[in-house]
Amino acid sequence: MKPVRSQIVVSLICLLVSSTAFADRDPIRLTHGPMLGQPTAHSMAVWGRTSDADEFIVRYGTDSEKLNQTSDAATTKIDHDNTGVAVLKDLKSDTKYFYQIWVNERPHGLPGSFRTLPSAADTRNAEHNPEGLFNFRFQIGSCANQNPLHGGGHQATTYEHLNRDWADRVHFHIMNGDWLYEELREYPPEAWRLVQGLSQFPMTVQVMPTIVGVWENYKLYLSRGVELAKWHRHVPSFFTFDDHELVNDIWGSSEAGKRHRRTVFRDIGTRAWMDYLGWANPMAHNHPIHYGKGQMKAGSDLLVDTSTDFTRLPLQEMLNLHVHWGTPEAGANDMRYDNDDGNKNSYVYDIVEVVDAHTLKLHMPAKVDDADLSYSIGRRSYGSFKVSNCEFFLVDTRGDRDMHDVRRRDKAGVSMLGKPQREWLLKSMKESDADFFFVISSVPFMIPHSGAGGFESDAANKEEAWTGFFAEREMLINEWDKLGKKVFVMTGDLHNSFAVKVTDDVWEFCCGPHNSVNHVPKLDESDRPATGKFKFGPRECDIRWSSYIIPDLPRLERLYPHFCVVQINNVFNMPKKLGDKRWVAYPHPQVIFQYFDGRTGELAYAETIAVDHE
């Protein structure tokens, strides 16, 4: 292009940017949502996204025609892609509510409804149920790819059946990873800025420009997934993140010295997940991801950021430090970009000490001088909640994960969870008075997830499951067996469902996929059987039931989604007069796991597990 023409084009672009950024904006509106989360007996959180940073309120009530209660205003912020959360308080337990988001004193979006959780006060009586136990149901699943080349496409029959049959019958939903799959990850930050009408980028995008592709990815799934959005409008959810919320096959995020494009995308993906899904969860630690611009010099192990006071960060309750890859394709799931083109200082770093307010000492020196590098320090993204006599632990299997080696699956000291999370999990379980434990792990526990690999140079080294961490897995099983209570490891990631008895007290229930192409056990799951005894590593387990794909099926014929509804039977109703209520506690409460075919909605398998007889 000739210089004069170049100048004309540049001038036209500048004029367009200026006129777009500063033009009068349309009135603020709701663009996505509502979604429900953080359910309790007396509160509920409502998420929404607005076209510009502003506020919204929620009007709600027990009569759909009289939404006579109003929430405090939720603030949406541009550095969170204009997302925000309102909390509805002082609700009645075990009660159906109707609600609507309002923006600028007008109703926006579609109305929704929900039922609050029961409370002990609803069912307690001194003679037959002194602990106030109650029954409840939840739905759990994973892997909801909307890409027609890799899943069931834009129409998800699983969510159609969930909305038709279960939205009014379950108390909450757990999406156990891979709600999102990578699309629009190369969305230009400049295009995002123009749509937002901004004159400059917020700090979030200055440091992490590829976060806009993840934000756009979430918006695409909510806009296109009509039945999925309807489900979240009526059923409160909890979420774990797995690799696709971040980027496919992200491994070794805590492995000091590791260099890989996917690995150092952890905090960018996690920050976007918090904006769109993670807000719905209880968290053991609420310290957000820290991100900033820093300086490093070749041969020096110091990172300097004059805009940050590191002495004020709770580093002992955060993860390690990543220097970002820095390319426009950093968050794309495309092996073409798995190369060495990223920032030469982009590695996983351990923080050795805080030297002064603006200086960190890292475990290794920089490779090159860099006066404007982007870095982040990760958050711990795990937490727990209790419903009646059941405690749920939402664990993070990606954020503090060591790099596995399938040649040494039993290597001591290698961790899926990281020591702080593992110690929190075991301590919490030992101190809990719950009868049943649900450990929500986004990756399989007893069944390998191997198969085609990526840029790890060695495709045979692919392993997503706990079968790359035998020592830690066996330690957990042994500790759980000492509890004398039932432990249910609820898993995802593999695009099949299965019920596995590990020990008398420890079980695995893998639930999914909701909408993704099934894996082939012979190829992706170490040729495990459909049912029966299976041993991979030091421990044999019993596969009681599974979905199973014969390897002669073409890829897009492998569309057999499943979902799981879990029912906890703690009490039964035995009133003195028909029509009344008097809840009587079972001597041995039961948990019923029911798997349903996502194409037909029909029951496929059920397993019932009760408290042991004394």
Side-chain angles (χ1 to χ4, degrees), residues 2 10 69 86 94 118 125 137 139 152 159 163 187 193 202 315 339 341 370 396 438 552 580 608 611 614:
K2 295 181 180 180
V10 170
Q69 296 174 266
D94 198 21
N125 65 77
R137 291 191 189 99
Q139 189 274 327
Y159 286 98
N163 284 318
Y187 192 87
R193 184 184 71 81
L315 295 176
N339 49 42
D341 289 349
D370 193 340
D396 171 9
F438 295 86
D552 62 357
D580 290 345
T608 301
V611 168
E614 297 178 358

Side-chain angles (χ1 to χ4, degrees), residues 539-553:
R539 185 182 294 270
E540 185 178 69
C541 62
D542 181 10
I543 302 174
R544 308 278 284 233
W545 169 86
S546 74
S547 60
Y548 192 90
I549 304 299
I550 304 297
D552 62 357
L553 270 65

